[in-house]
Amino acid sequence: MTSSSLYHISFGRDDLGSQPPTIALLSGDPERAYLIAKTYLQDVRLLSENRGLNSYIGNLSNGRSLLSTTSGIGAPSLSIVVNELVQLGIRQIIRVGTCGSIQTHVPVGSIVISHAALCRQGAANDIAPVEYPACADPFLTVALVKAARELDVEHYLGITASVDTFYEGQERSDSANPHLLRSLLGITEEYRRLNILNYEMECGTLFKMAGVYNFAAACVCGVIAQRTSSEHVLLDYKDVAVNNAIAVAVRAVEGLEQNLG
Ligand code: URA
């Protein structure tokens, strides 16, 4: 931590070295941020571990500097982290997350690449009008698809429902809340018919922030629940889903470097 540190992420420009990264992989889970750093980065340095928002800096095998950092769960936490990352000069952010499929043809273990989100998130309403589009950067999104093809990872490209709550908002009835609001009963089936692929909790706000702040954002999530058959996360598939999402995100960043020459 230096005098230039931003309050929540707890590092600043002075910590980023002479060639500061402009791209970040943003995981919800600090363990995932660490896994990315440990597995794919060379010369890794821990930047901070404030409030579980752990951040690492290192180099990819092609020498490109990369930030692997943590959003925490949900849009309010993500909005704070993303705001501070952009203040530090980050211009491209790929969310690497997990999700629940709401389509029978999207199985656990596969990945979903979101080209847009149905954004049902309160944090986003502080940033842009509710009607403001929540869309991913097309170039980063194509890079993710290309990476998934190269790595032969089963992937699906489409629209994601990005909501504030894991239980009520994703129509889970097996929880501490005995009373799901009428407005949410049947919402999963409605979204399924609208060709929405999956539920997660961050990318809608990330995409709207990208539009307003003028940076590029994309999202890749490993599928860890199949909501057409069960409410539960299938832990046996979590590692493969997460490793697929990470591998695709890293390969996409490496591809961007090659494209830029
Ligand atoms: N993350 C979510 O938001 N929902 C799921 O079902 C799984 C992961």
Side-chain angles (χ1 to χ4, degrees), residues 82 91 127 132 135-137 204-218:
V82 167
R91 307 302 310 151
I127 295 162
Y132 193 88
C135 49
D137 178 75
T205 296
L206 173 66
F207 292 167
K208 287 192 175 187
M209 293 180 83
V212 174
Y213 297 14
N214 200 20
F215 67 92

Side-chain angles (χ1 to χ4, degrees), residues 137-148:
D137 178 75
F139 302 102
L140 283 184
T141 303
V142 168
L144 287 170
V145 172
K146 191 165 168 281

Side-chain angles (χ1 to χ4, degrees), residues 186-205:
I187 196 122
T188 307
E189 176 58 15
E190 182 161 295
Y191 287 174
R192 195 185 65 71
R193 291 195 203 150
L194 293 172
N195 291 326
I196 291 171
L197 298 185
N198 60 332
Y199 277 128
E200 59 79 78
M201 297 177 61
E202 288 86 10
C203 79
T205 296

Side-chain angles (χ1 to χ4, degrees), residues 98-100 166 170 172 199-201 224-225 227 233:
T98 56
C99 67
F166 182 85
Q170 299 182 19
R172 284 184 162 93
Y199 277 128
E200 59 79 78
M201 297 177 61
I224 62 167
R227 295 299 314 286
V233 164

Side-chain angles (χ1 to χ4, degrees), residues 32 73 95 97-102 161-163 165-167 170 172 198-202 221-227 230-234:
R32 197 174 313 135
I73 298 176
R95 164 166 152 70
T98 56
C99 67
S101 164
I102 62 171
S162 199
V163 304
T165 49
F166 182 85
Y167 291 102
Q170 299 182 19
R172 284 184 162 93
N198 60 332
Y199 277 128
E200 59 79 78
M201 297 177 61
E202 288 86 10
C221 286
V223 179
I224 62 167
Q226 175 44 270
R227 295 299 314 286
S230 161
E231 293 195 359
H232 301 292
V233 164
L234 300 175

Side-chain angles (χ1 to χ4, degrees), residues 39-81:
T39 312
Y40 289 100
L41 299 185
Q42 294 159 7
D43 305 320
V44 179
R45 256 186 319 122
L46 173 69
L47 286 172
S48 69
E49 40 189 4
N50 190 38
R51 301 181 185 218
L53 301 173
N54 300 2
S55 295
Y56 305 86
I57 188 171
N59 298 319
L60 289 167
S61 55
N62 59 12
R64 180 171 192 157
S65 177
L66 182 76
L67 194 63
S68 177
T69 184
T70 311
S71 67
I73 298 176
S77 180
L78 172 132
S79 75
I80 293 166
V81 171

